[in-house]
Amino acid sequence: MKRELVYAAVFGILILLLDAYLIKSYEKDWETQIDALYQIAGMESEAMDNLQAVGRILKEEVDRGQLERGRELLESYGYDGMYDTVYDRKAGEYKKRIYLVSIGIYMAFLFCVFGIRKTAEKNNRKVLQEISGILSGFKNQKYDVVYGEAMEGEAGELYSQLSSLGKQIKIGEETMFLEKEGTKQLVTDISHQLKTPVAALKTCFSVLEEGDLKEEERREFFLRCKQQLKGLEELVKALVNISRMETGMIEIRKEKKHIFDTMLLAVNSLYGKAEEKQIEMTFENEEGIEKLQLFHDTKWTKEAFINVLDNAIKYSEPGGMIKISMMKRNFFVRIEIKDRGIGIPKKEYTQVFKRFYRGEGERVKKEEGSGVGLYLTREILERQGGSIAVHSKAGEKHGSTFVIQLPLEGIGG
Amino acid sequence: MKEILETRDLCKYYGEGESMVRAVDHTSIQIKTGEFVAIVGKSGSGKSTLLHMLGGLDFPTSGNVLIGGKDIFSLKEEELAVFRRRKIGFVFQAFNLMSSINVWENIVLPMGLDGKQMDKQYVMDIIHTLGLESKLQNLPHTLSGGQQQRVAIARAIASKPDIILADEPTGNLDSKTSDEVVGLLKMSAKKYGQTLVMITHDEEIAQIADRIIIIEDGKVVE
């Protein structure tokens, strides 16, 4: 508002100056005309005829004496300058006209200045109303900013920012919802998993409690209790890991490290177990892979490798062989872990990566396991932008090949 | 989580009477936002027809396709075209790149059609993720199959569609490259929060998806 007042004042002064100038120049003009009249009046009619006198005046040849004489003459008749003459009246009219026109122009100017301001204000108000509408939409969980996005300038920019903010909130909310649902599912799954062994343990104990057992039977039930307890311990360990992973307590911390070293750590930690079963683990790596560094979480990636290798050992016959090959591709390091074990039927390909899934085969049921390992492995790898898949044929000697991909440095951010 | 893509009793029949072929037969599927779904089936199982209808490229005999709750076949033809361009990115087996223009132009072309302001930083980011920086001036035919497929993926993702529909994206590639292409698709979709629907006959490739839908004789089996 202040700016507009300054404009109005400056323009007002300019118009007044212009008016003063116009009036001044008219007055000057009239003075010249009156002088001419004086000159004509002071003319001596014997010396010159009228035409000659007018010609002189037009040529601006001023005859001072004549002029003064004329003035005196006219003054003696009561004509003092412009006062009370046709000029006086005209001057009044002119001034009136000038002032009227100036006032008109000035009003038009004010109208423009304040009108523009009003329109801008109205526009702003509309934008503000729309934004407030969008924001109250946000409150009511409506995050789509539908209007104004195509608008130019700052308002358009504002809309597009609001729109992307809305999208972000939406994604955040959906992620939160997913996490909540995931946690619910996890709690259900875990309680389901724990129920069976706990019930078995309970039965075992209550049998022991009854007391009328032979020493031999007592010992057997005791052993069974112990086994159940051990199984439960394993399960709880796995569940703790999985819960940590699911609830985000495990943070993947990527560091630039040699991927081969991480694999080596995994292999070493299973060395004893493989030795026991006389299973040989060999590398068949692409040259230079030992020097390849990539961003990965060494601790959890090692865990992922261990899970796959552990399965390979578990489901291989004694004397078997496990081959690990690592190669650098365009975007991923590709790790193949190949065994000659029992293999996985095609219809179980995706199942094996599901939480708490265990294979249908007799052989699988015989082995200890909670159905968590491969699920965790997949989670760990996917959180690092990687993937895992199995290529396998069930049956003798075919075994399974697990293919792991982890993104190379600089890929995927 | 909201369903972004849904079919209700979707049918597509060809021919009439005795010789009628039911390419897609009363299919109802739901796909959630951000999900990576693989639709697996043998050739001739109707999976491509299904995908084409999901993307509004083909009209159903009956039933609906809903994208974000909106029935896409209730739209006028021009509206559908705009909707498709804004919401959906396609990756085809045959890549479908324009042979007379270079890689960069292929990637940004669909955005030009839409008069949409291009987010150059985002496009460069994708190009970097897909390792195409050095190929931008190349014409498509000078690239390998895997590289061409990466260009097709970049094109599909660049316009920030909500949904990417991929029809046998690895059909022409060897198995190691296939693994990489699917890995990349998954990684990009996760990174940019996009929903990915991929059609494949290869169950090994499909494993990388979050969920698998198996289709046989036009019907969802699983």
Side-chain angles (χ1 to χ4, degrees):
Chain A
M1 199 64 180
K2 223 171 182 177
R3 201 189 316 166
E4 279 76 12
L5 283 177
V6 172
Y7 287 160
V10 168
F11 193 71
I13 289 167
L14 277 177
I15 283 211
L16 283 177
L17 282 175
L18 183 70
D19 287 0
Y21 171 74
L22 280 176
I23 289 166
K24 199 84 200 154
S25 46
Y26 271 127
E27 278 175 352
K28 202 93 188 156
D29 206 24
W30 296 326
E31 262 168 38
T32 324
Q33 290 186 30
I34 289 170
D35 280 354
L37 290 176
Y38 285 155
Q39 213 168 327
I40 292 170
M43 188 175 62
E44 287 162 48
S45 41
E46 296 84 25
M48 204 180 312
D49 64 17
N50 290 357
L51 224 65
Q52 238 176 337
V54 172
R56 274 178 140 185
I57 291 168
L58 286 176
K59 281 184 197 146
E60 268 195 309
E61 283 174 28
V62 181
D63 186 329
R64 280 277 142 205
Q66 218 174 38
L67 199 150
E68 285 308 314
R69 206 167 41 247
R71 184 199 304 273
E72 274 165 32
L73 205 64
L74 279 169
E75 270 175 9
S76 70
Y77 283 99
Y79 292 108
D80 184 9
M82 270 171 54
Y83 181 70
D84 198 25
T85 63
V86 62
Y87 289 116
D88 204 14
R89 217 178 47 246
K90 265 194 177 166
E93 251 170 55
Y94 277 130
K95 278 184 191 164
K96 212 156 76 193
R97 222 177 281 164
I98 286 174
Y99 287 136
L100 272 176
V101 170
S102 330
I103 287 172
I105 291 173
Y106 192 60
M107 292 302 266
F109 174 79
L110 287 184
F111 186 78
C112 282
V113 167
F114 288 96
I116 286 168
R117 197 193 148 79
K118 260 282 174 327
T119 329
E121 268 177 359
K122 208 171 144 194
N123 266 338
N124 281 345
R125 208 174 307 135
K126 203 175 135 217
V127 169
L128 286 176
Q129 272 169 1
E130 281 192 4
I131 289 173
S132 120
I134 292 166
L135 289 177
S136 68
F138 281 7
K139 254 194 246 161
N140 297 323
Q141 292 165 324
K142 285 192 200 88
Y143 301 113
D144 298 318
V145 178
V146 281
Y147 31 126
E149 253 191 278
M151 258 169 71
E152 306 257 326
E154 284 162 17
E157 178 68 17
L158 197 60
Y159 281 125
S160 94
Q161 285 191 3
L162 271 175
S163 164
S164 62
L165 178 68
K167 275 182 198 152
Q168 269 176 24
I169 297 177
K170 197 171 169 185
I171 290 169
E173 260 195 4
E174 281 168 358
T175 318
M176 241 165 67
F177 177 78
L178 259 194
E179 275 175 7
K180 208 171 135 197
E181 285 302 297
T183 312
K184 264 193 218 162
Q185 189 58 44
L186 181 68
V187 171
T188 318
D189 283 356
I190 286 181
S191 48
H192 186 78
Q193 290 290 315
L194 284 174
K195 255 179 209 156
T196 325
V198 168
L201 202 59
K202 217 167 142 188
T203 322
C204 218
F205 270 118
S206 59
V207 171
L208 275 177
E209 229 172 25
E210 277 173 21
D212 52 348
L213 290 169
K214 288 182 200 136
E215 184 57 28
E216 200 180 316
E217 284 175 323
R218 228 180 69 86
R219 209 172 299 143
E220 203 201 310
F221 270 100
F222 202 73
L223 204 69
R224 226 183 265 179
C225 274
K226 220 173 145 187
Q227 269 172 359
Q228 292 281 4
L229 207 59
K230 194 172 165 247
L232 201 59
E233 199 188 349
E234 287 291 313
L235 181 62
V236 168
K237 237 193 269 172
L239 290 179
V240 168
N241 262 351
I242 211 172
S243 312
R244 279 195 186 144
M245 179 61 84
E246 294 285 295
T247 50
M249 275 167 73
I250 287 179
E251 245 184 274
I252 295 288
R253 275 199 208 95
K254 290 202 217 174
E255 288 172 285
K256 196 175 168 185
K257 286 277 167 68
H258 292 100
I259 187 70
F260 179 72
D261 291 352
T262 308
M263 176 56 86
L264 215 55
L265 285 173
V267 170
N268 283 341
S269 75
L270 287 169
Y271 194 76
K273 201 167 177 179
E275 186 95 305
E276 246 173 62
K277 259 181 113 172
Q278 290 176 317
I279 289 171
E280 200 185 340
M281 290 192 276
T282 58
F283 279 106
E284 200 173 86
N285 289 338
E286 198 180 66
E287 226 180 85
I289 211 81
E290 293 85 357
K291 292 199 192 89
L292 179 68
Q293 291 192 328
L294 50 101
F295 278 98
H296 66 289
D297 182 306
T298 47
K299 184 181 157 216
W300 287 103
T301 308
K302 184 188 97 184
E303 206 65 40
F305 293 160
I306 286 178
N307 287 336
V308 177
L309 288 168
D310 189 42
N311 279 343
I313 295 170
K314 228 192 292 190
Y315 300 114
S316 285
E317 295 305 317
M321 179 126 94
I322 295 166
K323 205 169 79 188
I324 303 160
S325 37
M326 300 170 77
M327 64 204 91
K328 188 181 169 210
R329 302 278 304 168
N330 287 322
F331 300 98
F332 296 95
V333 61
R334 180 185 174 95
I335 301 168
E336 292 177 9
I337 297 176
K338 199 172 193 163
D339 65 48
R340 292 189 194 154
I342 58 171
I344 296 168
K346 215 168 194 176
K347 65 179 167 64
E348 289 185 36
Y349 275 7
T350 40
Q351 312 275 34
V352 294
F353 295 109
K354 284 190 179 147
R355 195 160 69 195
F356 303 125
Y357 180 83
R358 297 215 60 205
E360 303 279 349
E362 282 305 309
R363 185 59 215 282
V364 179
K365 287 183 179 147
K366 242 172 67 187
E367 293 287 341
E368 288 276 322
S370 52
V372 167
L374 286 179
Y375 170 74
L376 208 58
T377 299
R378 185 179 158 123
E379 280 292 304
I380 291 167
L381 294 172
E382 287 192 350
R383 283 200 195 187
Q384 303 183 70
S387 66
I388 181 166
V390 61
H391 301 194
S392 174
K393 284 194 187 100
E396 284 303 300
K397 298 288 177 222
H398 288 298
S400 316
T401 304
F402 280 85
V403 176
I404 293 169
Q405 295 190 113
L406 274 171
L408 295 175
E409 185 192 349
I411 301 294
Chain B
M1 197 61 150
K2 275 217 301 255
E3 259 86 45
I4 186 159
L5 190 54
E6 191 179 353
T7 70
R8 288 186 187 155
D9 258 334
L10 198 65
C11 298
K12 179 75 180 181
Y13 301 153
Y14 294 104
E16 267 177 38
E18 287 285 296
S19 61
M20 188 162 77
V21 178
R22 294 164 196 264
V24 172
D25 200 6
H26 295 283
T27 296
S28 298
I29 56 175
Q30 286 97 32
I31 292 166
K32 296 188 179 82
T33 308
E35 217 180 355
F36 176 11
V37 173
I39 298 177
V40 181
K42 295 191 180 68
S43 67
S45 58
K47 56 190 194 307
S48 279
T49 312
L50 175 62
L51 192 86
H52 286 172
M53 287 193 288
L54 287 180
L57 292 174
D58 201 354
F59 286 89
T61 308
S62 65
N64 315 90
V65 171
L66 287 84
I67 294 181
K70 196 181 193 95
D71 185 347
I72 59 169
F73 294 114
S74 71
L75 296 171
K76 288 196 211 99
E77 204 164 323
E78 314 87 76
E79 287 176 332
L80 180 58
V82 172
F83 189 81
R84 206 162 47 208
R85 210 157 54 220
R86 295 215 174 126
K87 295 269 179 188
I88 303 171
F90 291 96
V91 181
F92 298 100
Q93 177 176 6
F95 318 139
N96 290 14
L97 299 175
M98 307 266 278
S99 57
S100 56
I101 57 177
N102 68 25
V103 166
W104 167 258
E105 289 161 338
N106 260 290
I107 293 171
V108 299
L109 179 72
M111 278 178 283
L113 285 178
D114 211 16
K116 215 194 247 177
Q117 190 69 11
M118 184 172 62
D119 185 344
K120 198 161 178 204
Q121 186 53 47
Y122 175 81
V123 177
M124 285 315 294
D125 192 25
I126 291 167
I127 285 167
H128 176 69
T129 302
L130 293 168
L132 293 167
E133 302 100 318
S134 61
K135 305 285 179 209
L136 292 179
Q137 302 306 322
N138 288 38
L139 289 177
H141 69 85
T142 63
L143 306 178
S144 71
Q147 288 167 337
Q148 289 192 41
Q149 193 54 298
R150 263 147 45 204
V151 177
I153 291 172
R155 178 184 56 186
I157 306 175
S159 58
K160 299 188 186 172
D162 295 338
I163 302 165
I164 297 166
L165 300 178
D167 191 357
E168 296 275 9
T170 63
N172 290 328
L173 308 173
D174 65 80
S175 87
K176 287 190 178 101
T177 311
S178 296
D179 286 342
E180 277 209 291
V181 164
V182 179
L184 276 175
L185 261 176
K186 180 186 177 114
M187 195 167 75
S188 321
K190 283 262 165 355
K191 189 170 172 186
Y192 303 117
Q194 289 152 331
T195 307
L196 179 56
V197 182
M198 177 181 77
I199 283 215
T200 181
H201 65 277
D202 185 342
E203 285 174 57
E204 292 182 354
I205 291 292
Q207 287 176 60
I208 297 178
D210 301 329
R211 184 155 67 96
I212 296 180
I213 292 172
I214 295 175
I215 187 160
E216 261 172 37
D217 298 328
K219 286 190 169 119
V220 172
V221 195
E222 222 171 289

